[in-house]
Amino acid sequence: MDYKALGLKAGIEIHQQLDTEEKLFCRCPTTLRKTGEHAGEFFRYLHATVSEMGEIDRAAAEEMMDRRQFHYLTYDTTCLVENDEEPPAPMNREALEIALALAKIFAMHPVEQVHTMRKLVIDGSNTSGFQRTALVAMGGILPNGGVVETICLEEEAAQRVEGSTFSLDRLGIPLVEITTSPCMFTPEDVQQTAEYIGMVLRSTGKVKRGLGTIRQDINVSIAAGARVEIKGVQELDLIAEVVRREAQRQTTLLAIRDELRARRASVGEEVRDVTPLFAGTESSILKKAKVIRAFVLHGFAGLVGREIQPGRRLGSEISDYVKKCGLGGIFHSDELPAYGVTAEEVARLREHLGAADEDAIVIVSGSKEKTACGARQAQHRARRALEGVPEETRKMLEEGSTSYMRPLPGAARMYPETDVFPVAIPDGLWEEIRAPELLCDLARRFENDLGLDAALARQVVSSESLPLFRAAVDAGIRPNLAARTILGTLKELGRDGVAVSRLAPAEILAVLRAVEDGTVAKEAIPEILSAVAAGTAVAEAVGAHAGGMSDGDLATLVQAIVADRIDFVREKGMRALGPLMGLVMAEARGKVDGRKVSEALRQEISRVI
Amino acid sequence: MSDTFTTGDIVAASCRGQPVEGIYITDRDGMAVVKLGSGYNIGVDPATCTLVAKSGETAVQPPLTVEQDESLPELAIISTGGTIASKIDYRTGAVTSQFTADDILRAIPGLSSIGRYRAGVLATILSENMTPSIWQDLARAIHAAIRDGAAGVLVTHGTDTMAYSASAVSYMLDTPVPVVFVGSQRSADRPSSDNVMNGMCAAAAAGADLGEIAVTMHATTNDDFCAVHRATRVRKMHTSRRDAFQSHGMAPIGRVDFPSLAVHLTDDAVRRGACTLALHDRLEERCGLLYFYPGMAPEILRAYEGYRGLVIAGTGLGHVSTGCIRAVRDLIDAGAAVVMTSQCLHGRVCDRVYDTGRDLLSAGVIEGEDMLPEAALTKLMWVLGNESDPERVQRLMTADLKGEIRRRSDHGL
Ligand SMILES: [Zn+2]
């Protein structure tokens, strides 16, 4: 696809959890917990006024939203602030300084006084019903000429466990949000920029690692399309694909619009209760429904079922809107007969509604209230198909297609968090902030100064074990040995089922030092580390696997010691073994296994007596 | 200069050299607060601000009247400053408290299914700025509302001193209908605020078969039910939790489930119509409440010279140090009524067990039984407002007037 011709424009918003000691607005640790460890739970309702809920109509809003009950799990690592039962503590300085360090890297302007805001979030993921967020810096640049618009510091939301149950361990972990302008014009641009920003974030050494700790939101539009925000892309590798598929979706929706207009298509106003038509239906979904309603989409035939993205049709888009009313989705005539709905039933329905062949029909089923809400939502989405691409917030599905989440939020849903004082960033503080060395520069330095090959250097800097590698190099271990052990050997051992996570950095360093001072051969590293991981002390494991004293050396040592005390040996015979053992071990400890020493001594003694 | 700007003006400013434009909000601590297009506020150097456009006339929303169901009981809402309803102006970020019946109903739509409302504003103050004279105005306003036909009265109140106001009103007012104090611990602007549940439960209690002054607030941290507390028995026991209000010396007199709004009253609760409406609105303001501590100088007690009454929150069973007893005696000899209560909050005062207690009794201290210190203070103000004979004062202070004294200590911690 020629993205330039399409007028593709994209920007990204990257949310990264920070690895601080404490949360952003309370003194709890930023530790994630297993839900089984929860210490308590409570439940609340969130009450939002209708204007804050966007598109859904008032009646539906009150039914669906006003009485939503949310359950929360608490831990011995969460407090009353997460419970929304205590005012927030002052903003975490450590987090602010990390955000400022990032601002320095992107050559941004920090604001002179940071004001914390409350951003309305009523999906239950914030106990308060809002997320605290603060703008820290503006106006930065990317190496490819792109623009970093803002860096914000905000609270992470609670983790949804299932349904309306949330876990409070994650709530309040500091997040930096880095927002670029729509300064990218190809899917690959977007991916590369995301990769670059991710690298910058990791350069601080203060970010959480692992799935879910970094999330990308992508803004995409094409020339005649609309701005769409795709939430929660966790896999970096999928970013380009998500952008490609969104460009495809918008292009197809525009083509559908043009065809609808050419056909003079329209959305039928009248929603009919067609429950009696399906009295004897075999469709399990319709059989369960108290009420079945249907309406006509004039001139839509064939287009509701047209694919707009892999696995997605216009019908899926309509379904998404209907799901907001608590229904499972819709049936539409482009996909029928199917799902137990017979051709006869479809024909009867067409006749009943007076639908022509070029018309499509949408069916919703469920309770009286929900189907009324669902039909309105379906009509609403169908009308927007006549206009083109709706502005939306969407969520990523597996493989990179997306589904509708909610309307785009406006800037309007923010107001000051009066419980947190503004924080001044005086010139003195800004000057003291040091930008960390970027991992890409560090990799180059490792390549040039330490002699690592380029791929290994890149691997080292992007590894979570970078601090261990640096400690090893500082301790005089050859960089290549350190890198290969830390990145290669440990990974292979882990794959083989060794509990590498139980190895302390100090233990790994001790083993590497034993290699460097010649106590063991480097070939013995995997076995030694395996033994240590299984609970053996390092000294013992090193000794047991010592390649530092060859069999020949051991034989020479044993012969010399026996020869020196030949009278004693002749007098005591085998009983000399014990006393001599100590003498040999004084020389061989850590270099050779004790049993081997004992065996060598036994042989030598029996040879001389 | 920024003093030429008014809230809502569009201004251009510089943030360390980066040009920004936004809505001027206010000047604070030498910085100009500007709301950017993204919705974020930042503080900028006011000297860099220049006017882009004056604030346009904000389109005044046509006042939307909320339909009230004439078949429902008529309830009065009297606001004193605690907010159970507020509105956010997202353009400027301003949060304003709402006091008219319409505004409150729009903020808490569920109220309209419980009653029809008349709302009046008595005061718009923080509850720590309450005074005995406002308590008197409040008692009069409630009296008037009931006289005019209200089937129940809701008093919205800041939580800090709600228990003082509620118990003060208890002594001044004999009521045949429920008078329910309600507030919120978490600000009304937040979707998680306890205002909706507390407000609806309080309204349900105000329409129930209750005939006394009560406080209705969250009973647990869940949004599951509110407790209905007797006004003279309740105390705020946590700075910030929703379930801060707790009854002392007795269980709550009822509960209101949420969202069903089913009201369950205990046998202790005074029923609707048990009393006839009467107002006795005199208070003696020259009364104090003193928290004793080890090493307290007697001069502190002497500072109350000229007061007509003093409640002491003493230690344990009701003690002050031996060194303070002389000062207590002098206050009493000078004509003051001194009532002993306990810092323990739970349990009954007994000055007959230890020597200092016996000395206090012989000095003329009145044992405050199991009264909460705040309930004893407001009671003393009311008693001294109506009585001057020391013996009758003593008799009233040790008698149960509005549930503030229990003859039996049947309820543990
Ligand atoms: Zn906490």
Side-chain angles (χ1 to χ4, degrees):
Chain A
M1 235 186 260
D2 181 351
Y3 292 105
K4 215 156 248 155
L6 276 182
L8 178 78
K9 272 205 278 189
I12 44 177
E13 226 175 72
I14 296 191
H15 300 89
Q16 167 75 62
Q17 288 176 7
L18 301 183
D19 193 19
T20 48
E21 285 288 309
E22 295 177 347
K23 288 182 173 178
L24 191 53
F25 290 111
C26 71
R27 280 66 184 264
C28 290
T30 60
T31 323
L32 292 183
R33 304 293 298 274
K34 295 192 175 72
T35 53
E37 297 167 350
H38 73 270
E41 55 187 298
F42 61 89
F43 72 87
R44 300 266 169 76
Y45 299 90
L46 290 181
H47 307 275
T49 54
V50 173
S51 61
E52 282 144 9
M53 278 181 289
E55 294 283 317
I56 202 160
D57 79 326
R58 193 191 156 98
E62 283 182 2
E63 185 191 9
M64 307 304 158
M65 308 293 280
D66 202 28
R67 282 289 151 74
R68 274 179 78 186
Q69 202 185 65
F70 300 106
H71 290 252
Y72 299 99
L73 304 182
T74 66
Y75 299 85
D76 55 8
T77 50
T78 63
C79 71
L80 287 184
V81 174
E82 286 95 331
N83 293 11
D84 187 45
E85 294 253 65
E86 185 173 296
M91 182 186 281
N92 180 332
R93 295 294 296 196
E94 187 188 6
L96 180 61
E97 288 180 14
I98 297 168
L100 287 173
L102 289 163
K104 206 143 225 181
I105 297 174
F106 294 116
M108 301 178 80
H109 307 271
V111 305
E112 285 158 283
Q113 194 186 39
V114 177
H115 287 244
T116 302
M117 308 297 290
R118 297 171 172 176
K119 189 199 281 182
L120 233 53
V121 178
I122 51 165
D123 65 1
S125 63
N126 289 73
T127 45
S128 56
F130 52 71
Q131 176 190 35
R132 296 186 184 90
T133 175
L135 175 60
V136 175
M138 294 181 289
I141 46 168
L142 291 163
N144 65 4
V147 175
V148 176
E149 283 182 346
T150 54
I151 291 186
C152 295
L153 203 48
E154 45 188 44
E155 296 178 299
E156 175 67 289
Q159 171 84 51
R160 191 187 295 271
V161 179
E162 61 172 350
S164 59
T165 301
F166 294 86
S167 180
L168 293 186
D169 51 341
R170 205 181 73 176
L171 179 64
I173 292 179
L175 281 182
V176 286
E177 181 205 67
I178 298 180
T179 307
T180 75
S181 65
C183 55
M184 293 157 258
F185 307 103
T186 68
E188 291 70 30
D189 271 355
V190 184
Q191 178 140 349
Q192 280 156 16
T193 303
E195 278 165 9
Y196 177 77
I197 294 175
M199 182 275 295
V200 170
L201 283 163
R202 287 192 303 278
S203 299
T204 63
K206 284 289 199 176
V207 299
K208 298 254 185 212
R209 305 289 293 261
L211 194 69
T213 57
I214 185 166
R215 297 190 296 275
Q216 284 93 5
D217 296 348
I218 311 172
N219 287 300
V220 190
S221 66
I222 62 171
R227 193 166 83 86
V228 161
E229 185 172 315
I230 298 162
K231 286 278 186 199
V233 183
Q234 297 196 5
E235 301 89 339
L236 205 55
D237 301 343
L238 269 177
I239 288 179
E241 181 62 13
V242 169
V243 177
R244 266 180 235 124
R245 290 191 183 194
E246 180 56 24
Q248 178 192 0
R249 195 183 71 94
Q250 297 202 10
T251 309
T252 317
L253 284 176
L254 290 173
I256 289 176
R257 175 198 66 186
D258 293 344
E259 182 152 358
L260 287 172
R261 285 179 178 176
R263 295 185 190 176
R264 299 181 182 285
S266 66
V267 176
E269 295 292 330
E270 193 191 1
V271 178
R272 301 269 288 272
D273 184 337
V274 295
T275 321
L277 293 190
F278 292 92
T281 187
E282 288 302 307
S283 157
S284 52
I285 292 173
L286 295 184
K287 228 189 298 190
K288 277 191 309 217
K290 286 213 173 63
V291 176
I292 303 169
R293 296 179 201 265
F295 64 92
V296 179
L297 295 173
H298 301 288
F300 274 67
L303 296 178
V304 184
R306 181 177 294 183
E307 186 171 83
I308 55 175
Q309 261 188 343
R312 301 274 310 171
R313 289 148 212 290
L314 178 56
S316 338
E317 302 282 303
I318 296 174
S319 260
D320 290 344
Y321 275 66
V322 169
K323 284 175 187 166
K324 296 290 154 192
C325 301
L327 295 173
I330 60 164
F331 286 145
H332 60 81
S333 52
D334 282 357
E335 61 183 350
L336 298 177
Y339 310 112
V341 180
T342 62
E344 292 71 49
E345 283 168 332
V346 176
R348 224 180 312 145
L349 184 62
R350 277 194 179 279
E351 194 191 327
H352 184 77
L353 296 176
D357 285 351
E358 64 271 22
D359 298 341
I361 297 171
V362 171
I363 303 169
V364 290
S365 63
S367 72
K368 189 163 165 259
E369 293 78 20
K370 285 179 180 178
T371 51
C373 168
R376 272 196 302 276
Q377 285 280 95
Q379 287 174 313
H380 173 65
R381 179 62 187 87
R383 272 184 219 110
R384 304 192 77 174
L386 299 166
E387 295 155 20
V389 185
E391 287 197 334
E392 289 170 340
T393 303
R394 302 180 64 84
K395 67 164 180 267
M396 199 191 86
L397 306 171
E398 274 173 50
E399 321 230 301
S401 290
T402 60
S403 67
Y404 170 76
M405 258 176 107
R406 54 174 181 257
L408 273 191
R413 305 188 309 153
M414 257 195 249
Y415 65 106
E417 168 53 278
T418 40
D419 298 343
V420 176
F421 284 160
V423 183
I425 303 177
D427 292 342
L429 170 64
W430 176 234
E431 279 151 25
E432 273 171 31
I433 298 288
R434 292 278 153 265
E437 182 175 21
L438 289 184
L439 295 182
C440 58
D441 297 337
L442 188 63
R444 223 163 294 131
R445 204 153 59 78
F446 283 173
E447 208 182 318
N448 296 335
D449 300 358
L450 302 181
L452 296 186
D453 74 54
L456 189 59
R458 271 200 306 275
Q459 222 189 323
V460 168
V461 299
S462 61
S463 154
E464 280 181 71
S465 307
L466 175 62
L468 176 59
F469 171 78
R470 300 183 100 157
V473 172
D474 288 347
I477 298 182
R478 278 166 296 153
N480 264 299
L481 173 67
R484 291 192 194 286
T485 305
I486 291 165
L487 295 173
T489 311
L490 285 179
K491 195 189 251 175
E492 285 154 22
L493 289 176
R495 255 199 313 260
D496 295 345
V498 176
V500 285
S501 60
R502 290 174 53 186
L503 291 168
E507 292 174 324
I508 298 170
L509 286 186
V511 173
L512 290 173
R513 259 196 304 271
V515 176
E516 289 297 35
D517 66 20
T519 311
V520 291
K522 71 174 195 288
E523 288 70 24
I525 291 176
E527 278 184 53
I528 296 172
L529 288 177
S530 301
V532 174
T536 312
V538 174
E540 198 182 323
V542 164
H545 295 84
M549 182 169 284
S550 66
D551 291 355
D553 290 347
L554 177 62
T556 311
L557 177 68
V558 167
Q559 277 163 23
I561 284 176
V562 170
D564 271 3
R565 291 159 184 80
I566 190 69
D567 296 341
F568 174 71
V569 172
R570 291 213 168 108
E571 185 194 327
K572 297 278 185 185
M574 263 310 156
R575 278 174 298 145
L577 193 145
L580 291 187
M581 184 77 189
L583 291 169
V584 179
M585 284 309 285
E587 298 282 325
R589 190 178 309 281
K591 300 178 192 168
V592 66
D593 190 73
R595 271 169 304 180
K596 224 166 162 182
V597 173
S598 150
E599 186 50 37
L601 260 178
R602 183 188 314 279
Q603 279 176 17
E604 180 62 12
I605 292 170
S606 58
R607 195 179 64 80
V608 298
I609 54 177
Chain B
M1 278 308 293
S2 59
D3 51 2
T4 62
F5 303 130
T6 49
T7 304
D9 287 352
I10 309 290
V11 294
S14 164
C15 166
R16 285 202 168 90
Q18 165 93 357
V20 296
E21 192 175 297
I23 297 171
Y24 172 82
I25 305 297
T26 187
D27 265 31
R28 196 186 300 134
D29 311 330
M31 302 292 270
V33 182
V34 172
K35 190 176 187 70
L36 304 178
S38 58
Y40 282 98
N41 287 9
I42 60 171
V44 298
D45 179 355
T48 68
C49 292
T50 56
L51 185 70
V52 174
K54 285 303 285 179
S55 165
E57 283 295 304
T58 26
V60 180
Q61 298 266 326
L64 183 80
T65 39
V66 180
E67 293 259 322
Q68 300 219 37
D69 185 340
E70 293 299 320
S71 69
L72 292 171
E74 180 186 324
L75 303 175
I77 302 179
I78 299 172
S79 338
T80 63
T83 56
I84 64 159
S86 60
K87 195 162 72 183
I88 306 165
D89 176 355
Y90 288 106
R91 199 174 104 84
T92 60
V95 178
T96 46
S97 301
Q98 302 292 298
F99 299 114
T100 72
D102 276 355
D103 287 336
I104 293 172
L105 288 179
R106 222 169 299 130
I108 311 179
L111 284 176
S112 58
S113 61
I114 304 169
R116 62 198 154 94
Y117 301 87
R118 266 185 301 151
V121 181
L122 183 85
T124 52
I125 54 168
L126 297 169
S127 80
E128 56 271 34
N129 293 330
M130 270 288 158
T131 63
S133 75
I134 302 176
W135 294 340
Q136 290 171 302
D137 289 343
L138 180 57
R140 290 171 196 135
I142 298 169
H143 178 261
I146 299 170
R147 191 193 54 213
D148 295 348
V153 180
L154 285 171
V155 179
T156 67
H157 200 293
T159 55
D160 278 12
T161 68
M162 183 154 65
Y164 287 87
S165 298
S167 65
V169 168
S170 289
Y171 304 116
M172 287 188 277
L173 188 73
D174 295 340
T175 176
V177 305
V179 175
V180 183
F181 282 69
V182 64
S184 60
Q185 282 282 82
R186 311 298 292 136
S187 62
D189 57 85
R190 60 183 71 212
S192 62
S193 174
D194 48 340
N195 68 330
V196 172
M197 176 171 136
N198 290 349
M200 289 175 64
C201 290
D209 182 23
L210 183 68
E212 62 175 306
I213 321 281
V215 167
T216 298
M217 293 284 289
H218 261 68
T220 76
T221 195
N222 296 311
D223 285 346
D224 48 4
F225 66 97
C226 277
V228 182
H229 303 277
R230 175 159 291 158
T232 52
R233 282 274 139 204
V234 69
R235 200 168 187 283
K236 183 175 182 179
M237 297 300 287
H238 197 278
T239 57
S240 56
R241 279 179 64 123
R242 286 165 171 74
D243 55 357
F245 282 81
Q246 315 239 313
S247 283
H248 288 65
M250 70 182 293
I253 55 173
R255 60 182 268 172
V256 184
D257 292 339
F258 188 82
S260 74
L261 301 179
V263 180
H264 312 274
L265 296 175
T266 67
D267 292 342
D268 273 323
V270 179
R271 294 309 204 261
R272 191 179 276 274
C275 262
T276 41
L277 180 66
L279 179 69
H280 314 278
D281 60 356
R282 282 206 297 263
L283 289 179
E284 170 55 75
E285 292 198 25
R286 284 173 300 160
C287 289
L289 169 58
L290 180 63
Y291 200 96
F292 171 79
Y293 55 89
M296 191 176 84
E299 285 69 32
I300 293 175
L301 279 157
R302 298 196 187 284
Y304 285 91
E305 264 170 36
Y307 271 57
R308 289 202 55 214
L310 178 65
V311 173
I312 298 174
T315 57
L317 285 166
H319 300 120
V320 296
S321 62
T322 309
C324 282
I325 290 175
R326 179 64 190 272
V328 172
R329 184 190 300 274
D330 290 347
L331 283 177
I332 294 167
D333 290 349
V338 176
V339 178
M340 183 59 71
T341 60
S342 175
Q343 297 170 10
C344 296
L345 305 176
H346 294 277
R348 193 177 300 271
V349 161
C350 180
D351 279 314
R352 286 149 288 159
V353 179
Y354 297 104
D355 281 348
T356 45
R358 288 191 278 263
D359 292 345
L360 282 166
L361 286 180
S362 74
V365 163
I366 303 168
E367 287 176 303
E369 298 288 337
D370 63 341
M371 275 190 290
L372 286 168
E374 301 85 353
L377 171 68
T378 49
K379 180 179 182 180
L380 189 57
M381 285 181 172
W382 184 79
V383 167
L384 292 174
N386 291 286
E387 270 302 340
S388 48
D389 175 65
E391 239 171 73
R392 280 201 294 264
V393 167
Q394 162 130 21
R395 209 176 310 134
L396 283 169
M397 284 309 294
T398 52
D400 173 27
L401 304 182
K402 293 293 172 121
E404 75 281 6
I405 288 176
R406 310 271 290 174
R407 288 190 61 77
R408 292 170 54 238
S409 307
D410 58 349
H411 190 76
L413 257 179

